[in-house]
Amino acid sequence: MKLIIAIVNSEDASAVLSELTGQGFSVTKLATSGGFLRAGNVTMMIGVEEEQVQQALSVIEEFSSQRKQQVPVNSTYIGDSLISVPVEVTVGGATVFVLDVEQFYKL
């Protein structure tokens, strides 16, 4: 038994969740936020048999896309005005952990 923990961008989460459940995976969804951009994420916990890991990873990869986004992170005073300077960052995609599960109970 394996536990997949997938941290997915909020914009991609609905499609990932829909496809995973459509393929018969049981998913527990947690609303989380990232540290760098403080952007919304969804953390999904998926319990699978070892032979199902690759199928679940393929779904997560297919429906989680990385993209570039302009984010205002630096503020600078010019005269009396505060100006935000946008920086291009990569958002989206997924961070995935696959863990061994020693015991599993459904009570």
Side-chain angles (χ1 to χ4, degrees):
M1 186 73 152
K2 299 286 186 178
L3 174 63
I4 299 173
I5 300 174
I7 303 164
V8 179
N9 185 279
S10 291
E11 293 178 29
D12 300 327
S14 180
V16 173
L17 186 61
S18 179
E19 187 64 24
L20 284 170
T21 56
Q23 291 191 26
F25 291 101
S26 295
V27 182
T28 298
K29 178 180 101 167
L30 307 168
T32 54
S33 62
F36 176 60
L37 298 175
R38 291 175 178 64
N41 294 319
V42 172
T43 300
M44 299 179 194
M45 297 189 308
I46 311 146
V48 299
E49 295 299 331
E50 191 161 348
E51 59 272 4
Q52 296 174 302
V53 170
Q54 192 53 54
Q55 180 185 356
L57 291 176
S58 294
V59 169
I60 295 166
E61 182 177 15
E62 180 179 351
F63 290 90
S64 300
S65 59
Q66 288 190 341
R67 55 204 163 273
K68 300 286 185 184
Q69 180 175 326
Q70 295 285 329
V71 178
V73 292
N74 298 328
S75 297
T76 306
Y77 277 103
I78 298 179
D80 292 336
S81 300
L82 181 64
I83 307 248
S84 291
V85 179
V87 174
E88 186 174 85
V89 296
T90 302
V91 297
T95 301
V96 181
F97 302 89
V98 179
L99 309 169
D100 289 322
V101 175
E102 192 171 306
Q103 294 182 12
F104 168 76
Y105 301 98
K106 194 166 188 174
L107 306 174

